[in-house]
Each structure stands twice: as C-alpha cells, then as structure tokens.
Amino acid sequence: MMRSQIRLSALMALCIAFLAVSIPLAAAGVPAVKAWETTIVIPTYLAGDPEPNPMFYFGRSSQGAQAPVYPYPMYDVLTGKKADKTYKIVYLENEYLRIGILPEIGGRIFEGLDKTNNYNFIYRQHVIKPTLISIIGAWVSGGVEWNINHHHRASTFLPVQYKVEENADGSKTVWVGELEVRQRMRWAVGYTIRPGKAYLEASLRILNRTPEVNTMLCFANVAVHVNDNYQVIFPPSTQLGTGHSKRVFTKWPVNEEGVDISWWKNHPSSVSVFAWNYQDDFFAGYDHGKQAGTMGIADHNIVPGKKFFEWGTNAGARNWDANLTDSDGPYIELMVGAYSDNQPDYSWLEPYEGRSFSMNWYPFRDIGGVKKANLDAAVNLDVASGTAKLGFYTTSAHAAAKVALRAGEKVLLEETVAINPGKPYTKQVAIPAGIDEHDLVASISDGGKELVSYSPIRLKPEPAPPGVTNPPAPADVKSSEELYLIGLRAQQFHDPTIDPLPYWEEALRRDPGDSRVNTALGITAYTKAKYAEAEKYLRTAIARVTDRFTAPKDAEAIYYLGATLKAQGKTGEAYTNFYQATWSQAWKAAGYYSLAEIASARGDMTAALDFVDRSIDSNALNIRAQNLKAAVLRR
C-alpha cells in the first residue's frame, strides 16, 4: 500500500472514531456546555485603601503559622459603608449545574446551583461583607476559596487572572490563577463542566518557579448552607478526628462525651475537625431536611485532607454570621486538602517543581446520606429493624441501570431502572432473619460496568495516636538528628513559636561538620540573600559529604552552592557546581536549568538548548525551562 493510501486510511479511521464519539452524544440530545462572561451587581461593604507603608515581618501569626505580609500591603481598614458594586462574573452551565466565578475576588466560586432542585450546593452570598481574617486582612465567606499556599491566603480578596477555554470533548474550562508575590510561586485552578455530567472538576497546578526550595499548603474551602438538619459525613471507615496541628484526637462520629459531633447543631462554639482517614476518596455534607447535599471526590493518595469548620450555634457564632453576611445565615466549611491532611501542615516544593492534581464536587439528593461515592455515583445503605433503606444517585443519565442488593449468593433485589441526577433511586427492602448486615452488598451498574457498590464495613477499634507536643529545649534533645529534624519541621510548618536556629546551633556545637545542619543553614542564608554566610555553611557540608573523594548520594549542598555563587556573579565556579549536581537524579532538572541560564547569558545558544532540553526531560512541568527554551529557539 502506498504512503498516501496509508495516510488516507488513517484519516478515515480517525474520522470514524470521532463520529463514534460524537454521534451518540448528538443522538442522546446532550446539551452543550455554556460559558459566558457578564456583570453582576452585588451589595458590598467597602474596604478602605490599602496601607501605603511596607509591612515587614515582626512575629505576626495567622492560622497557626507565620504571617509575613510584604510585599503585599495590608487591607485592614473596613469602612462599614455599603454600596452596590458591579463585578465581572464568569458562568459555566450545563443541564444540571450552574457555576459562577468571581475573578475580582480571588477567583473564588461565587455560586454553585443544582438545577434539578434549585439547591445551592455551594453557599451563595447575596452580599460582599469583608472581615479581618486573611493574612493581609480583608476576607469574605461563602463560595469556594482557594487556600494556596497558606490558609486564607494573602490574595483571597484581590483580583486574579482568568481565561475561558473550550475543550475537544465539548467541555468548557475557566482558569483562574496568579503569581503569589510573597513566595514568588504560581498557581492556577481550572474549573471544568462536561456535557451530560453533574460534577464540577477543579484541575490544579502549583509551580515553584524559584531556584530555592519552597513550601505549599493547598486546601479548597467549600462553604455550604447549614441548619439543625445538617450533618457532615466522613467515610464509614473513619473512627477518629483531630484538630489543628494534631494535638488532640477524638472519637468519630460519637465523641468521648457521647455527643454525635457530625451534626452542625451539636457544636455550641467554633470547631475544626479533620478526618483521620487515608483510604477513602469521598467526603460529604447533607441537609436531611432539604434532602440535598454536597459531595467531594478526590484521590486520597494525593488529596488526603478532609476537614470541616463551623462557628457553632451560640451567641458568639451568630455574631460571626452578622459580621459576614446580611441574611444568608450560617455555614460550614467543607475543606479538602492536597498533599496535606491538617493545618498548618506544609509540604516541600523543590526548585522549579510543579504539581498537578484535581478535586471534584457535585450535588446529590434524595438518598438520605451517603456511605460510598465516586465520580459516577453515590450509594446510601441503612439497615434497621429488618429493613434496608437503599439509595443511589448518579452524576449522569442511565436509561437502563441495574440495581441490586445481595447477601452472599442470595439476591434480595434486582431491578432495571432509569436514573439521572434529577431522578435518584430509593427502595426499602425487607431483610430475611438471620442475615448479617455486613454480608449485604448494594450495587448499581450499566452495560456491565459497576458505577458504585457498598457493603457495610466491620470496624475494628482503632486506638488514637499520640498527639503532637512541643519539642524539648535544644540542650535536652538526645541526638543531632533530632535537633536537625525539629528545626526542619519548624521551618517547613512556618512555626511562629519555635525558632529552628537554636536547634541547629546546638547540633553544630556537638558536631560542627554535620552536613544536614550545615546544608539547612546554608539554604536558609541563601534565601535571605546572605550569600557569604550561605557559602560558608554549604562548603562545610560539601567537605563532609565528599570526604575521601566521595561522590555524594545527595547533591543538595552542591546545587545550593552553585546557586549561591551564581547569585554573587561567580558564574564560572557556579557552572562547575551545577554540573556536579546533575550527577544526582534529584537535582538534574534544577541543575541543568541553571546551566542553561548561564550558557544563554554567555550567548552559547547551542549549549543552552542542550541543557534546557535535559532539564525538561527531568521535569516537564518547569514552565521557566519551557519559556527559556522558546527564547533560545528564537535566537
């Protein structure tokens, strides 16, 4: 066969494949996803002008961590004056959902509506009423707030960039994001709605675009309307909850005092509870009065954090309602955390490292709660007094889904049903005497594919782990390794009460050549532009790890010495150190990128292209490397 015929056959096959995908959608009459920009007038309590003077760090804390403000200004003047204000809003909508996004207020989701029952599955504010909660002051409740790279981030009340995209599968995406100027890191969130699907996908990208190690915290703060009928639902395998910093653990859902703390009404004052759960992908809240709720779905291997916060039910809590809204009432925050299961609990981002992951939410209704869920469906199964109450919700339409309830080989229910997000399925089934509820399996499938299934789990009592306590004084710490790790943790978590330096200084008193501590002190000095000091520590660390002409297993100190020398203009010696750092896989991407910078500055574009390609091979998410490659290719 001639090459032209092969290309024609391939093209025809591609067209047929495309039609095979597109024709069923058209035949099923799936409406297109709409995305549009418009303006909305929202009554707004006006914030005053920002503080004109730079606000340097003098020990202030926020949400349990250090709270440096500079180079942001403080927005801590609230005028109390209310006026109608026009905002740009970007909508995403399909037949099931309508999502509204406010780029001018942090890129937050402003509304999330379940069109099948007009339920606001995301708290809908009818006023913008800031109070002083974020790092730089002004903060508003409601919607979905992105806490990146800190809880109630500095720019949560400020405008961000945005862009609307149309995707090949008919879905549409609204990207929001910014350069966070305290840590010089970039983040972006892409909100996507797909044709025929009742869920919202949020795709996240977080990029450390700097030559030094950074830290990140990423929690999505999803606010929902609450009342006495509202219950937070952690997965059934959850037996314990904990508070901030994991200092105290409590039984879940019924605590040590016999109170079911899953209900909003059972908390007189403010409380945060994090699920102690590393095996389930879902987390929900449900209004048993309205028979409607909000479901969160995310891969627990990447997104383990499941937390709720509420102000409580007492008079002080009602004061907070008045501070934050005029008439929309109380809320709970259903928070979902990536690379973290607590606050403040930061993870490291190495130089030029990027992370990409997703979170998802959908409304669900009329099934009385949930025991297991994924992106396709949710199932609830309650057994009492010889009767099983069964419910299924699906995120898309299924004309002939098969529902079943079995006990071992015994079929108690089998039925073919039409189900969709506006028409869930519920049934009550009598359970024959002698059947253990733990042998029951409830499932729903379509075309041989299981959408979701659940069998009541047998819980084995799980002892609470010891809570986190403050470390001893440096002189009382037993080993140098512990001194190093205590200091490193304090730095990683931005601890406002524990200074790492005394612990590292004690370690050096015991062993002046300790490579771990000298490297940590060298990196710390480098990030503060104390280059001579950084060079001293890093050379001491390198002397230890290269003793007897050894090529070190970890080239961290070698890379940072290169970065320190480059910052001082000593590019010749820096070049050698960066090259040595590339011998270690962990530092190949950052090392080759730094070499590419030096080579391009020298005008050696051939070498620069080779280096930047090697860097991208090791870290394709390094956007600075991609940009540098484009610039080199233009030359």
Side-chain angles (χ1 to χ4, degrees):
M1 185 181 291
M2 296 176 63
R3 290 183 181 178
S4 60
Q5 290 176 305
I6 294 173
R7 288 197 295 268
L8 181 60
S9 298
L11 181 60
M12 290 175 65
L14 183 62
C15 290
I16 291 169
F18 173 77
L19 290 172
V21 173
S22 60
I23 288 175
L25 286 176
V30 177
V33 176
K34 295 186 292 183
W36 73 98
E37 302 175 36
T38 187
T39 57
I40 184 173
V41 176
I42 307 173
T44 299
Y45 287 83
L46 303 176
D49 293 333
E51 168 62 42
N53 298 304
M55 302 296 292
F56 298 116
Y57 180 65
F58 293 106
R60 179 173 171 266
S61 66
S62 174
Q63 305 295 324
Q66 296 174 6
V69 171
Y70 183 82
Y72 288 104
M74 285 295 294
Y75 287 80
D76 56 355
V77 176
L78 305 179
T79 68
K81 297 177 181 177
K82 184 178 178 181
D84 285 344
K85 187 173 179 180
T86 301
Y87 296 88
K88 182 174 289 185
I89 188 166
V90 186
Y91 283 106
L92 284 170
E93 185 174 12
N94 65 8
E95 65 269 44
Y96 301 122
L97 303 179
R98 186 176 74 237
I99 307 297
I101 300 132
L102 290 180
E104 293 169 90
I105 304 186
R108 70 171 54 231
I109 295 177
F110 183 63
E111 72 167 49
L113 179 70
D114 181 353
K115 292 170 59 178
T116 71
N117 59 356
N118 287 318
Y119 174 67
N120 286 297
F121 72 101
I122 295 172
Y123 187 100
R124 171 60 156 89
Q125 276 279 20
H126 290 84
V127 65
I128 301 296
K129 196 171 187 179
T131 191
L132 303 181
I133 289 180
S134 86
I135 296 175
I136 65 172
W139 180 88
V140 294
S141 66
V144 178
E145 172 202 23
W146 291 100
N147 296 310
I148 311 170
N149 297 299
H150 185 90
H151 190 44
H152 298 320
R153 73 176 202 270
S155 57
T156 186
F157 192 64
L158 302 179
V160 298
Q161 298 170 300
Y162 75 98
K163 179 185 179 183
V164 181
E165 287 184 349
E166 296 187 11
N167 306 311
D169 65 352
S171 64
K172 290 185 172 61
T173 301
V174 177
W175 286 97
V176 298
E178 66 170 352
L179 171 65
E180 202 275 358
V181 298
R182 294 186 319 146
Q183 293 178 273
R184 308 299 298 173
M185 300 215 297
R186 281 201 174 274
W187 64 266
V189 177
Y191 303 114
T192 299
I193 290 183
R194 304 184 185 280
K197 303 293 185 181
Y199 58 80
L200 168 69
E201 178 183 345
S203 301
L204 290 96
R205 299 174 186 174
I206 301 175
L207 304 172
N208 178 12
R209 52 183 297 284
T210 74
E212 67 224 31
V213 69
N214 243 316
T215 60
M216 59 154 276
L217 183 76
C218 177
F219 267 80
N221 182 1
V222 182
V224 294
H225 296 273
V226 290
N227 53 51
D228 286 351
N229 297 311
Y230 203 88
Q231 183 183 26
V232 173
I233 302 174
F234 289 153
S237 60
T238 308
Q239 298 185 60
L240 296 169
T242 186
H244 287 277
S245 302
K246 299 176 186 167
R247 294 188 177 275
V248 177
F249 287 81
T250 185
K251 291 181 180 178
W252 176 272
V254 179
N255 69 8
E256 289 75 6
E257 286 75 42
V259 177
D260 188 340
I261 58 175
S262 68
W263 292 86
W264 173 80
K265 64 184 178 183
N266 289 340
H267 295 278
S269 56
S270 63
V271 65
S272 293
V273 179
F274 297 81
W276 188 243
N277 180 295
Y278 293 93
Q279 63 191 66
D280 293 291
D281 292 341
F282 75 96
F283 161 42
Y286 197 76
D287 187 324
H288 291 270
K290 296 179 180 178
Q291 281 296 308
T294 303
M295 179 71 67
I297 302 289
D299 184 343
H300 69 276
N301 295 293
I302 298 172
V303 187
K306 305 172 181 69
K307 169 205 173 182
F308 76 88
F309 165 81
E310 65 167 281
W311 292 109
T313 60
N314 61 21
R318 299 292 69 78
N319 287 337
W320 275 108
D321 293 344
N323 289 339
L324 292 164
T325 189
D326 281 353
S327 58
D328 290 308
Y331 68 91
I332 271 183
E333 297 170 355
L334 302 178
M335 296 193 188
V336 184
Y339 297 97
S340 170
D341 67 345
N342 203 269
Q343 300 164 339
D345 185 1
Y346 297 79
S347 60
W348 295 107
L349 252 67
E350 297 299 336
Y352 311 113
E353 181 183 355
R355 290 185 182 173
S356 181
F357 52 95
S358 64
M359 304 175 181
N360 307 270
W361 294 275
Y362 59 81
F364 69 110
R365 51 177 290 190
D366 298 329
I367 62 173
V370 63
K371 296 298 189 299
K372 194 170 183 179
N374 55 38
L375 271 187
D376 291 322
V379 56
N380 193 39
L381 177 63
D382 291 315
V383 181
S385 303
T387 300
K389 294 182 178 180
L390 179 65
F392 289 103
Y393 172 91
T394 59
T395 59
S396 60
H398 299 271
K402 290 185 178 181
V403 298
L405 182 65
R406 293 181 171 86
E409 298 299 320
K410 188 177 183 64
V411 178
L412 305 180
L413 170 71
E414 194 167 66
E415 200 172 348
T416 299
V417 300
I419 187 172
N420 62 61
K423 185 184 176 184
Y425 172 89
T426 59
K427 195 86 168 184
Q428 293 192 28
V429 182
I431 305 300
I435 289 181
D436 188 331
E437 70 173 90
H438 298 94
D439 295 330
L440 296 175
V441 179
S443 66
I444 183 170
S445 60
D446 189 1
K449 177 191 175 183
E450 183 179 273
L451 302 179
V452 72
S453 69
Y454 173 70
S455 180
I457 62 175
R458 297 180 187 271
L459 289 176
K460 295 180 180 179
E462 180 181 347
V468 173
T469 58
N470 290 332
D476 298 328
V477 176
K478 294 180 181 179
S479 68
S480 293
E481 181 183 43
E482 289 174 282
L483 287 164
Y484 164 68
L485 292 173
I486 289 169
L488 193 66
R489 186 184 193 277
Q491 189 179 71
Q492 177 181 345
F493 284 29
H494 302 273
D495 197 308
T497 62
I498 299 174
D499 184 354
L501 291 181
Y503 291 91
W504 290 340
E505 289 166 353
E506 172 64 20
L508 293 189
R509 187 190 66 78
R510 301 180 190 184
D511 179 5
D514 188 303
S515 64
R516 300 160 303 180
V517 174
N518 276 291
T519 299
L521 285 165
I523 295 170
T524 301
Y526 167 72
T527 61
K528 295 178 179 179
K530 298 179 179 179
Y531 299 127
E533 182 180 327
E535 187 175 340
K536 181 193 73 170
Y537 285 122
L538 292 166
R539 290 192 185 279
T540 301
I542 291 169
R544 174 66 62 88
V545 299
T546 60
D547 183 43
R548 288 178 286 181
F549 311 105
T550 302
K553 185 177 182 181
D554 187 350
E556 183 178 31
I558 296 172
Y559 165 80
Y560 276 105
L561 179 58
T564 298
L565 293 167
K566 180 173 179 286
Q568 298 175 84
K570 303 174 184 178
T571 55
E573 192 177 356
Y575 190 91
T576 301
N577 278 273
F578 285 136
Y579 236 135
Q580 289 177 348
T582 65
W583 292 16
S584 170
Q585 178 64 34
W587 296 98
K588 192 173 287 185
Y592 275 123
Y593 173 71
S594 302
L595 288 169
E597 285 189 320
I598 293 174
S600 61
R602 291 173 175 173
D604 188 349
M605 296 303 161
T606 301
L609 184 59
D610 178 54
F611 290 143
V612 79
D613 277 340
R614 291 171 184 267
S615 176
I616 291 170
D617 284 344
S618 298
N619 177 14
L621 291 179
N622 182 356
I623 301 303
R624 290 192 66 176
Q626 301 281 4
N627 290 340
L628 179 57
K629 180 175 181 177
V632 169
L633 288 171
R634 285 197 299 271
R635 294 290 297 272

